[in-house]
Amino acid sequence: MLLTNIESIPGKRIVEHFGLVAGSTVRAKNAFKDFGAGLKNIFGGELKSYTALLEESRNQAIERMVKQAEQLGANTVVNVRFATSNIAQGASELYVYGTAVRIE
């Protein structure tokens, strides 16, 4: 599955349009990692546990979007975008969406 944040693929032609596809995941912080992150906040440095959590969340949301696009018969998702929102205290949603198409 080809994913891109642009409207089309140079040198390829969109032959079928399937519409919007999306994937999301809601994740909560781990109390122990949150404590460690609080210490890093004081002394500075990368919050590696949060970086890993965000990367895992992005990958899961993308996998869900790709699965939906494949079920529709698409081989490409164009105009891919990410969004985040707070769901509850300590929990956030990562949402990815795009337009499922078939290219040749």
Side-chain angles (χ1 to χ4, degrees), residues 28-77:
K29 296 185 283 186
N30 176 308
F32 295 110
K33 290 180 182 178
D34 201 33
F35 177 75
L39 292 176
K40 276 280 191 178
N41 223 5
I42 294 170
F43 299 108
E46 181 182 5
L47 305 176
K48 292 180 183 178
S49 62
Y50 285 136
T51 299
L53 178 64
L54 185 56
E55 183 176 342
E56 182 181 306
S57 298
R58 273 193 309 265
N59 290 338
Q60 186 174 53
I62 288 170
E63 284 176 22
R64 291 174 177 174
M65 179 186 69
V66 165
K67 183 178 178 181
Q68 185 181 19
E70 288 173 342
Q71 289 172 342
L72 295 171
N75 63 3
T76 303
V77 180

